[in-house]
Amino acid sequence: PRRGHRFRSMASSAEQETAPSAVEEELVKKQDGMWHPKGGLIEEVEAVPEKLVPRKLETKSAATYSERLPFESFALSDETTVVKLYFGLKGAKAMLPAESVTATFRVQALEVVASPSPSRTYRFHESILYEHVVPDKCKVKVKKDHVLVTLVKANEHAYWENVSVNRKAIGPVRKSPPDFGRPTVVVTGGDAK
């Protein structure tokens, strides 16, 4: 008798395991809806508002990185009425596309920027030039292996020893601020397309 009793109890426990519970039956009956253990069957799902995400602005500076380098070499030539600056750049005429060289002239400041490619830029900047220049008459040209900048002197008797002044020597005597005067921008380029 004991053996049969054990056998019956094992059989009844197997039947209980295979029989679906009330919760499982409810899920099987309504598969289309969503079930939550605390709330039972959820008939309607509330619409969740979409989260507004700010749109990222497109900018050239963020899109590309441009490496800024000094020109490969530099030379100065003082002539009677003009000062010629030679900025060395091998193969400048061939590698610089049209409108890729920009020179910004002011009464006592100069900036020259040459961009052979979007990822590389050569730059020269002097905030206080040795003497005053006439920005409207200054020029920039691209030659075979260099960029030539011609500065027209305001005082043709002044001899330029250097492009910049000795800032320690001038001290508070010279009052003209850096980048003084209205800018004159000249744009040019080489033969590259």
Side-chain angles (χ1 to χ4, degrees):
R2 287 188 176 190
R3 283 188 183 181
H5 178 64
R6 263 193 207 171
F7 183 70
R8 281 185 211 149
S9 65
M10 289 167 89
S12 63
S13 66
E15 288 173 8
Q16 287 175 357
E17 287 177 13
T18 57
S21 67
V23 174
E24 289 174 346
E25 285 178 12
E26 190 176 328
L27 284 175
V28 171
K29 288 179 187 174
K30 300 207 176 190
Q31 288 180 337
D32 294 18
M34 291 175 45
W35 183 84
H36 190 273
K38 289 186 178 177
L41 191 65
I42 300 171
E43 295 291 332
E44 294 179 14
V45 178
E46 292 180 18
V48 179
E50 289 185 31
K51 194 174 193 181
L52 295 177
V53 179
R55 189 174 47 127
K56 194 171 187 177
L57 297 175
E58 295 178 19
T59 59
K60 282 186 177 182
S61 62
T64 60
Y65 170 75
S66 180
E67 182 181 16
R68 288 196 171 228
L69 303 168
F71 283 93
E72 294 171 1
S73 62
F74 171 78
L76 173 125
S77 172
D78 185 359
E79 299 173 9
T80 45
T81 59
V82 297
V83 175
K84 292 188 178 181
L85 307 176
Y86 300 90
F87 298 99
L89 194 58
K90 281 194 173 183
K93 186 106 173 146
M95 87 162 125
L96 291 171
E99 299 182 0
S100 63
V101 178
T102 304
T104 306
F105 302 102
R106 295 178 188 250
V107 172
Q108 202 171 0
L110 168 69
E111 181 181 38
V112 180
V113 178
S115 302
S117 69
S119 63
R120 179 166 282 190
T121 302
Y122 293 94
R123 180 177 182 258
F124 173 83
H125 176 77
E126 187 55 55
S127 60
I128 304 177
L129 291 173
Y130 192 78
E131 284 292 331
H132 291 257
V133 297
V134 182
D136 297 337
K137 295 182 181 179
C138 297
K139 299 176 185 175
V140 62
K141 290 182 182 178
V142 178
K143 300 290 185 174
K144 182 181 175 187
D145 287 327
H146 61 274
V147 176
L148 172 65
V149 176
T150 306
L151 301 173
V152 178
K153 296 179 185 179
N155 178 8
E156 57 186 61
H157 299 294
Y159 178 77
W160 285 46
E161 298 172 4
N162 199 349
V163 174
S164 62
V165 296
N166 182 349
R167 287 184 173 83
K168 290 181 182 176
I170 61 169
V173 176
R174 205 170 204 153
K175 296 282 184 175
S176 60
D179 296 335
F180 177 74
R182 177 172 282 160
T184 300
V185 179
V186 178
V187 178
T188 188
D191 294 337
K193 293 181 181 178

